[in-house]
Amino acid sequence: MDGIITEGLTLGYGAAPVISGLNISIPKGKITSIIGANGCGKSTLLKSMARILTPDSGRVLIDGDDVHKLSPKKIAKKMAVLPQAPKAPSGLSVRELVSYGRFPHKSGFGALTKEDNRFIEESMEIAGISELKNKALDELSGGQRQRAWIAMALCQKTDILILDEPTTYLDLAHQFDVLSLLSGLNKERGCTIVMVLHEINHASRFSDNILAMKTGKVVASGTPKEVITSENLCEVFGIDAELIEDRETGRPMYLTYGKHV
């Protein structure tokens, strides 16, 4: 079953389209990573799914509904979005940030309910930041801040989580922690996760489905074994990569690479 579908999607920023007539299907309840070279349209596609960027033509459908025709509150109940390098007001505590995830479920300016507070505490616990709840975001490491933002997204209690480069600016250990957290959420909750990743090996290890993009088009899609091939990496990134099978996961990973001549 497809969780997100695009039909004839054309997107741009006022000049020539970045994406033209794109038709894709993203499976429900799976982790899908979008990979590709800089400027290929990865983030542009994600922004359209997240309703940040309005299509020039075509549609993005979730459960049969055009996301650009849904009200902001209704879409916020279906989908949580974590943009690249999100920002929050200075001095905001972790708990205050996470509590923002409950806003789509409230009417007016009502106080947080007992159920809201339960979701807030549960989301911080899942993200592994309960002990940091009273700290200001400014005091946290990059990995801890990313977990706080993910906790806020979890607090929305949506079936779809969209993330634009969630591992940017994180060291290798924190990248692994964040992606492991997302993988665990997918397995435990069955939520659909769509994210843009730059690191090919991470995409292979943590994804069920991969879309490889080049110049606004999807040139390969499917499982990691179907997409992460020497031929596809040469086509998408212009590299000659030596691939091996990860002994732990059985998935492909590149060991070394050089620029294709």
Side-chain angles (χ1 to χ4, degrees), residues 13 18 34-44 84 164-165 168-169 196-200 212-217 235-239:
Y13 299 95
V18 176
I34 306 172
I35 64 172
N38 290 341
C40 71
K42 303 185 300 295
S43 292
T44 299
Q84 186 182 156
D164 192 358
E165 300 185 28
T168 299
Y169 309 127
V196 166
L197 287 180
H198 273 297
E199 175 51 59
I200 297 166
M213 294 188 67
K214 180 181 179 181
T215 58
K217 300 183 183 302
E235 170 71 14
V236 173
F237 295 100
I239 60 173

Side-chain angles (χ1 to χ4, degrees), residues 215-230:
T215 58
K217 300 183 183 302
V218 173
V219 299
S221 66
T223 66
K225 284 189 176 181
E226 292 170 331
V227 175
I228 307 302
T229 66
S230 297

